Amino acid sequence: MQTVNVDSLIDRSVLPNGIVVLVTENQGADIVAGRIFVRAGSCYESREQAGLAHLLSCVMTKGCDGLSSLEIAEKVEYAGASLSTDAATDYFLLSLKTVTSDFREILALAGRILRSPSFPEAEVELEKRLALQDIRSQQEQPFTVAFSQMRQAMYQAHPYAMSVLGNETTMSSITRDDLVKYHQTHFRPDNIVISIAGRITPTVALDLVGEVFGDWRVPNEKQPILNLPEILSSPQSSLKPINTQQSIIMLGYMGTAVNAPEYAALKLLASYLGNGLSSRLFVELREKRGLAYEVSALFSTRLFPATFVVYMGTAPENTKIALESLRQEVELLSTAELNPEVLQTAKNKILGQYALGKQTNGQIAQIYGWYEILGLGIEFDRRFSELITNVNSSETMKAAIQFLQRPYLSLVGQEEAIAVGNRDF
């Protein structure tokens, strides 16, 4: 086993079977939180099985290694602990939290769930029905519809085009055998990062992880390798008539992956445009001009190129002028550098929110494990702050010129309003 003390707070170890273990000792409260990451997010699904990782996350805690769903729930509740599973685009996640004295027992339970889920047929069918209800519910939410049609237009055949839930066709087709095969393929020790934070020493934490996972052998098959298609689509407009009281206007630009040089500059531009009540879009389009019910900007942290999105909800009669105004605000970023005071405000927002996002043991375990599973290493925690701090106005303008030129358009709302809004786009 290799152990490296990255700094005074975090220990990083690699077990002989390839499991990466991160331990952050925090004696502040008698709590231990754990995050177990698996390289098995929705990116690893076929397009025909979109929603598979999500369904797996719903079913995984419904039975394992001789335990029923009820017995698992009783064990967790008896300890006053929490245990849950989730699927994201780039990873699968099992989360747990407990008092220190019960950590051994809850970690052992998490290990049984992770390694030997039973996927009871009745539970699979129940969770499929619930997922289908969620999918249908999302089809009635204007923002979700707008974001979905933009994502599909931008990513085409890439897995990021699909919702983590999949769609009605793909979710309906998934079987228990599909879950078993997916689990056997991706849930292996050399695909796992375990991040632990709380009142526990690295030595004790490593011993407990070794007890639960040390005998898990790496299979003979090679690790699954993502072989994803290039993102080659061209900007286009997508319109969806819905009988709603407002128009949702969304402009999307293909940005970068988290490890690209321009990532920090785009993160700052998104913060400047849409982060909070003092952001450019909120002040100009909502407060001054009264065009927006809601307005914001998004740029996610992703393993592959992420979308840079600006959006607003507006009255149907304002759709055309609101679209023009939204696009003009983005275009301004390419014609003039942000003044230092404005740029510093955007930096302060990001760095302040980043610091606030590392207050609890769960948040600490989450962020270090997340960086590790993305291949960035836990050093990225320090590098992120440095990257944001070091961006200058010239770099933000260059990023805008390179990435924020030809937008995809997604419009959702009353048919006449979105037709007029799209006419001169």
Side-chain angles (χ1 to χ4, degrees):
M1 178 173 62
Q2 299 176 343
T3 302
V4 178
N5 184 261
V6 178
D7 59 29
S8 60
L9 296 176
I10 313 159
D11 275 58
R12 180 185 186 276
S13 303
V14 182
L15 301 186
N17 59 7
I19 293 178
V20 177
V21 184
L22 311 175
V23 184
T24 307
E25 184 176 354
N26 178 11
Q27 295 291 336
D30 188 24
I31 297 291
V32 179
R35 298 290 187 270
I36 303 178
F37 290 82
V38 187
R39 292 183 187 89
S42 60
C43 259
Y44 293 82
E45 305 163 340
S46 68
R47 192 175 185 84
E48 296 73 25
Q49 293 185 327
L52 180 57
H54 170 78
L55 184 60
L56 184 78
S57 73
C58 295
V59 179
M60 183 162 274
T61 58
K62 304 303 182 182
C64 71
D65 189 25
L67 295 177
S68 68
S69 175
L70 178 60
E71 289 170 328
I72 292 172
E74 287 176 342
K75 283 181 175 291
V76 174
E77 291 173 7
Y78 181 78
S82 66
L83 189 152
S84 62
T85 49
D86 192 21
T89 52
D90 296 325
Y91 58 83
F92 180 97
L93 179 65
L94 187 152
S95 303
L96 60 97
K97 182 174 69 173
T98 180
V99 295
T100 306
S101 59
D102 291 327
F103 181 66
R104 178 194 297 270
E105 180 182 354
I106 298 302
L107 182 66
L109 177 61
R112 294 173 71 179
I113 291 171
L114 199 72
R115 296 176 62 176
S116 306
S118 55
F119 303 127
E121 192 75 55
E123 298 286 358
V124 172
E125 293 305 313
L126 173 60
E127 294 300 333
K128 282 176 64 173
R129 289 195 296 273
L130 294 174
L132 288 168
Q133 290 178 15
D134 289 341
I135 292 169
R136 291 168 189 142
S137 175
Q138 288 190 357
Q139 293 169 352
E140 299 174 357
Q141 301 169 20
F143 175 87
T144 304
V145 173
F147 192 74
S148 177
Q149 68 180 11
M150 170 163 284
R151 187 177 59 231
Q152 291 177 39
M154 295 183 75
Y155 285 108
Q156 301 285 314
H158 192 280
Y160 280 5
M162 298 294 287
S163 164
V164 174
L165 285 171
N167 57 39
E168 289 189 67
T169 300
T170 61
M171 180 58 70
S172 298
S173 68
I174 297 171
T175 67
R176 180 185 181 278
D177 288 343
D178 295 328
L179 295 173
V180 171
K181 182 178 180 181
Y182 189 84
H183 179 267
Q184 290 175 343
T185 301
H186 298 287
F187 284 67
R188 44 189 287 165
D190 51 351
N191 251 2
I192 289 179
V193 172
I194 300 177
S195 181
I196 298 169
R199 185 177 288 182
I200 191 167
T201 66
T203 300
V204 171
L206 279 173
D207 286 345
L208 294 178
V209 171
E211 288 179 15
V212 176
F213 296 100
D215 63 341
W216 195 0
R217 295 188 177 184
V218 177
N220 294 327
E221 296 80 7
K222 293 183 178 180
Q223 280 184 310
I225 298 176
L226 278 176
N227 185 19
L228 302 180
E230 288 187 68
I231 303 170
L232 298 173
S233 55
S234 299
Q236 57 187 274
S237 299
S238 303
L239 281 66
K240 181 72 173 180
I242 290 181
N243 185 20
T244 181
Q245 297 302 308
Q246 63 176 302
S247 296
I248 300 297
I249 303 169
M250 195 170 287
L251 299 178
Y253 306 81
M254 188 58 70
T256 69
V258 61
N259 55 3
E262 302 84 5
Y263 165 79
L266 288 175
K267 204 74 175 173
L268 277 167
L269 288 175
S271 179
Y272 162 72
L273 284 176
N275 186 353
L277 304 184
S278 65
S279 65
R280 172 75 184 189
L281 295 180
F282 190 92
V283 171
E284 294 296 323
L285 302 185
R286 178 183 165 94
E287 296 297 290
K288 291 184 178 181
R289 302 182 63 183
L291 289 174
Y293 298 129
E294 58 176 329
V295 63
S296 192
L298 305 170
F299 178 58
S300 301
T301 299
R302 293 284 184 266
L303 187 59
F304 300 101
T307 52
F308 187 106
V309 174
V310 292
Y311 70 92
M312 65 189 298
T314 191
E317 63 270 18
N318 290 332
T319 302
K320 181 177 174 60
I321 185 64
L323 171 56
E324 293 172 351
S325 301
L326 189 63
R327 185 169 184 176
Q328 286 169 6
E329 289 296 335
V330 179
E331 289 175 346
L332 284 174
L333 300 175
S334 301
T335 60
E337 292 185 0
L338 301 182
N339 70 57
E341 182 179 350
V342 166
L343 183 62
Q344 188 60 51
T345 298
K347 291 180 180 181
N348 292 344
K349 286 182 184 179
I350 290 179
L351 295 176
Q353 291 166 354
Y354 188 75
L356 290 173
K358 296 193 296 180
Q359 294 187 95
T360 68
N361 289 328
Q363 290 171 328
I364 292 168
Q366 173 76 26
I367 200 161
Y368 290 128
W370 180 41
Y371 287 156
E372 184 71 32
I373 203 70
L374 291 182
L376 301 169
I378 55 180
E379 299 87 353
F380 191 75
D381 174 59
R382 170 183 51 79
R383 286 188 56 237
F384 177 81
S385 298
E386 292 175 354
L387 289 170
I388 295 297
T389 300
N390 292 335
V391 172
N392 59 46
S393 296
S394 175
E395 290 171 330
T396 58
M397 185 172 174
K398 288 178 182 177
I401 292 171
Q402 182 176 353
F403 294 98
L404 307 182
Q405 294 300 307
R406 299 176 59 218
Y408 293 74
L409 170 65
S410 179
L411 279 176
V412 171
Q414 297 176 14
E415 186 169 4
E416 183 178 353
I418 63 175
V420 171
N422 180 57
R423 188 171 296 159
D424 299 322
F425 185 77

